[in-house]
Structures are given as structure tokens and as C-alpha cells.
Amino acid sequence: MSKKDRSASGNSDKVIHVVFGPGGGRVSQPPPAPRAGATEAPPPAPGAREPVTDMFTGTEVARLLGISPGRLRSLDRAGIAAPSGRRRGRRAYTFSDLIALRAARDLIARKVRLRDVARAIDNIRTALPKVTRPLAELRVAFDGKAVVVRGASGAFEPLTGQMVLDFEVKELRDDVVRVLRPKVGRDRARTAYELYMQASQLDEDPATMDEAEALYRRALEIDPWLAIAYTNLGNICFRRNAEEQAEALYMKALDLDASQPEAQYNLGYVMLERGQAADAIRYFQGAIASDPRFADAYYNLAMAYEQIGDPTKARPCWRRYLEIEPTGTWAEIARRHL
């Protein structure tokens, strides 16, 4: 979303697209339209392995969870958390085993009796097959008496007392990618970026905006750290007058990439539209700090200073805007303020 003062403009909103790599940066026009059928999600890169379906050695599990090999063997011999799969002909841990081991590790750290740990792990293993989308749905909790595996449809066991153990299964999957399977992370990031690029070719046309939204959301499911996708998804929400959703998405983008100029600029614009010029100023300043040639940010920063009654601070912004964009309708408006 790259807009100046809406009251002075008859132009439609413009999404800021981004090209990464050498020579990249913001581009005002989307890349060429894809070939017919190219909006389908690309297949994962060759050799990519999804951790949820992978098998893990004892050495990998010890490294991931910080459990000593001796403790791992003890849990295996006790039948509390034994490897249930095979990898290259040898016993190996499944992702479900990792969930059980993560819970067992945390319960033991809280001085829960081994007998109660065993019962808790049995409850977890009983609950897991009931969930069709564990990464999206599951949280595991334990109160010292009963394990609670909570999904979108509710809890599988009644929650009693104060919760002392609570973790999202998706967090465990992300730890696997970060610690044990960095190649999976790279492959997923590449696939997500390809989806993002497809969406950026579609998100300015109302006829294809729904398709663009679906592609952005799919990209974020694959790579939740793709900050620019949150920004462009926020732009779609803004166009649909879902301002609060847009603001939340811009904030999420900044949580992941605090220096992203697009999200800072768009938040500044939202604040300016609300009449919160003082709040808008810091976002426009942040956008300029990240990209000193972000012309629209200078323009709207000047507008914000004008709105709070400080034309002295606005003038250098008008001048800087004219240095970058010396011609056009907006340049004429900027000159009238000098």
C-alpha cells in the first residue's frame, strides 16, 4: 500500500512489491503475469523432508531436547517414551515420539513422579491419533494430575487445577527445523517465497484478490517468518476496510523484521487516516531510516507534521520529497507547501 493523502488523490491503492537479492528492492509494478496454471503451489524442492513425517536418531533427539543419552535410554527401557519407528533398519523416533519426549522432559524437570509421567505420556499417545492437523491444532498441558491435549474442537481430557505445562506442538516442529533440519527450512522458505511472488502478481486486481489472499496465507503456513507476506496481506485487508486486521498484520511483519520500511510506512498511513498524526510520525521516520529514498514516506511525514501544526519540521520533508520526485501532481502539491 503506497498512498499519499487520499483526499487529494483519485488514484487506486498501490501495493508495494519487493524483489530480494542483488539489485532488488521495492518495485511499483508487479512482475509479469504468470503462465496459465502457474498460480498453483509449486512442489517442495527435491530432497525436502517434512519433520512431521521424518524419523530421528537418539543422537538427534538428545541434541534437540537437551536430554542426555543416558536419560533417553532410561525412558526407553521403562517404556515411557520408546522409539516407535525405524530409520535405515534401526529403531528411530517419530514426531509423535518427540511430542511425548518433550512432555516427559518437562514433567521430569518439574519433579513429577515417574509413574505419573508414564500415565501422562500414555494419555498423550491416546489423544494424538484423534487430531488431523496436529501442527495447527495441538497444545499439550499438564497440571500435575492429568494431561490435557487441547485442539480446535476442545480438550481431550478435563483440565483441573493450575496448568504447569503448556506448549504448542508447532513450536516443537519449528525447533526441529531450526536445530536438526535446516535444509527443510531453506526449502520451505523458497517454496513460500514463490507463493508470495505469485500472490504479488494478483493482489492489485479485485477480480484476483481472493486468490492472492489464499496464496499469501498458504505462504505463511509454510514459512511463518516471511514478513513481507504479512505486509501485503495487510494491504488486502486495508482495501477491504478491515483496518484493525491490517494493522495487526503490519505489526506482525515488524515483529519479524523491525526495519521493514513497507510495514512501517503502512502503519504510519493507518495512523494518519485515523487522525493520529503524532503516532504516524514515528512510523514514517522508521520507514525513512530503513530506506532513505522512500519518497512517499517523506510526503506523508510532511503531512503529519502539518497536521500537528509544525510546518517548520514539515518543510525539510517536502524538500526531500521533491529531490526524489521532482515532477508530477504530488510534486506540485509539495511545492505549494513551501
Side-chain angles (χ1 to χ4, degrees), residues 45 51 141 196 217 251 320:
Y196 157 77
R217 293 193 183 280
M251 292 300 296
R320 181 60 177 147

Side-chain angles (χ1 to χ4, degrees), residues 42-124:
R49 291 185 298 177
E50 169 53 54
V52 177
T53 60
D54 208 350
M55 298 288 175
F56 306 88
T57 66
T59 301
E60 288 180 322
V61 172
R63 178 184 168 198
L64 174 71
L65 298 178
I67 300 175
S68 70
R71 174 58 60 84
L72 205 56
R73 287 192 295 270
S74 296
L75 292 172
D76 182 2
R77 287 195 297 268
I80 294 174
S84 62
R86 300 194 73 81
R87 177 178 172 184
R88 297 175 182 172
R90 306 184 67 176
R91 299 170 74 219
Y93 292 91
T94 66
F95 189 78
S96 293
D97 295 335
L98 292 187
I99 296 172
L101 279 166
R102 162 75 189 270
R105 181 201 69 181
D106 292 353
L107 292 172
I108 290 170
R110 288 169 172 78
K111 310 298 184 185
V112 176
R113 293 179 302 178
L114 205 58
R115 181 179 60 188
D116 292 332
V117 172
R119 187 171 67 248
I121 301 308
D122 283 343
N123 289 344
I124 290 176

Side-chain angles (χ1 to χ4, degrees), residues 9-22:
S9 169
N11 296 333
S12 61
D13 298 349
K14 181 177 68 176
V15 174
I16 296 172
H17 299 277
V18 172
V19 175
F20 295 100

